[in-house]
Amino acid sequence: MNDATLLAVDDLSVRFHTRHGVVEAVRGVSFALGRERLGIVGESGSGKSVTGRAILRLVPPPGEVRAKRIAFDGTDLMQCDEVAMRDIRGRRIAMVMQDPKFSLNPVMTVGRQIAEAYRAHGQGSVAAGRDRALDMLAAVRIRDPARVYDLYPHEVSGGMGQRIMIAMMLAPDPDLLIADEPTSALDVTVQMQVLAILDDLVRQRGMGLIFISHDLNLVASFCDRVLIMYAGRVVETCRAAELAAARHPYTQGLLQSLPRVDVPRAELPTLMRDPAWRDGKLP
Amino acid sequence: MIEVENLSVVFGHGAKTVHAVRGITFHVAAGEVFGLVGESGSGKSTVLRALCGLAPASAGRIAIAGEMQGKRRDRAFYKRVQMVFQDPYASLHPRHTVDRILSEPIAIHGLGDADARIDSALADVGLGPTFRFRYPHQLSGGQRQRVAIARALILEPKILLLDEPTSSLDVSVQAEILNLLTRLKREHGLTYVLVSHNLAVIAHMCARLVVMNAGRIVEEMTVDQLRAGAPREAYTRQLLRASIGYDRAAAAEMVTFD
């Protein structure tokens, strides 16, 4: 882990105005990321995905994003105009979305989409784009890259679609990757292999990684540091290896409610939520 | 209670033939919780669908409570065997209220007393009577899965087929649903066949399980053998290793089994 800060988020809030009133999806989140693997865990509706999108300014109006600062490599993303953001998105900061079905272009072969992602930010020729796409497909453990290159998104399985998304996001060689549940559609063994690819990129190239997941065991074993989110707030930050010793009752409750292979239990403890957690108070 | 002998399921024909299940055999005793675990494409869900007649068995035989089952199942069969699907967002009719969803099986089977049955089914799954006239979109994921379980239980079946019943739910909600299934089994004397890709869920719920890969049973074992961490087959060991958590060294050794 490198100590240099790649991304610093200061007091991020996201609100949505709906028919039923204002929904505060993210409420004052601050964190700093070095060249490391940072996990964000929480249940659905905890604001972890919206946090990832807000960093890339991908929350469209009428969604309201406020932050004192989102500093990425010396620039404040909150002050950037759309032209500047376009240079950053994909090239400097890439994001792997949760569902490949909705993120891939249905009328373009997956190989061309990966090549396009590469060439959109570089000077590469068409042939270089194709080579890069084939390399990336091989890197995410797709067995026959040349065949898969010419497939359309509807012809690939969910797991393969997810790997194609990862290949596409990694093709321009980003400094920071925001991965929103990148492996939840994958089988456990494939998941391990894909995580190994991300792991190597962080270690060898010094890429920063924000890994958004609901899987506590996975985050504890894969990441360096973990933020635990509840109701739009970071309730606890700890080293991933020390997650089991987490102090917040919400984190403990989540850990307790997981069924385990090694420990038989007649009944799983269920989580009792305390309204005070919403305001960030420790009971 | 359930006897499956040499079951095969084939989809398509000619060059596009897919052998989803290739000759598998297992028995489930009454009152048992039996687990089918495997990765996607292993055929575990197809086995479940073949059991309840949703997928065609191309070879082999299925007997439930001693009765041989053919292609078509009669009404009495569905009174005895019910299924809970993976995704409660897809398995409940979006324009039917909970009341209508639950009254349909009662009407089909000509059982009287719908009102009392619906109330008791809702109470059984931990939903109050206030949920009765809501639409699925007004419910959370966990509440929807409770409605799906209530729908399966309303005919008072003996066998419940559970296809990944908690994989689309948050872990805290998963714990609630698994506890609910444990309680219902005890109170109603049910037999479960549980399909999951999650070894921890299978280990928590089942006494005995089979591991499937590429349409075949790789290994049959008791949950104690699984806990002892000593599966016989390399495939099962790899699955067990991968489900514990990330490990760079272990990831490098992962191989594909066919």
Side-chain angles (χ1 to χ4, degrees), chain A residues 43-44 143 187-189 192-193 195-196 199-200 221-222 254 257-259 261-262 264-265 267-268 270-271 273, chain B residues 39-40 170-172 174-176 178-179 200-201 203-204 227 238-240 242 245-248 250-251 254 256:
Chain A
E43 298 192 287
S44 23
R143 255 184 268 177
D187 284 327
V188 280
T189 49
M192 286 271 268
Q193 292 169 338
L195 290 179
D199 192 3
D200 291 347
S221 58
F222 177 67
L254 281 185
S257 66
L258 284 172
V261 174
D262 48 347
R265 283 184 293 190
E267 195 157 296
L268 295 167
T270 49
L271 186 61
R273 291 176 170 78
Chain B
E39 299 188 294
S40 37
D170 276 325
V171 288
S172 61
Q174 167 172 283
E176 288 168 16
L178 293 180
N179 286 344
V201 168
H204 174 70
R227 285 220 179 88
Q238 176 169 308
L239 199 63
L240 187 59
Y246 175 74
D247 181 321
R248 182 69 188 82
M254 294 276 158
T256 308

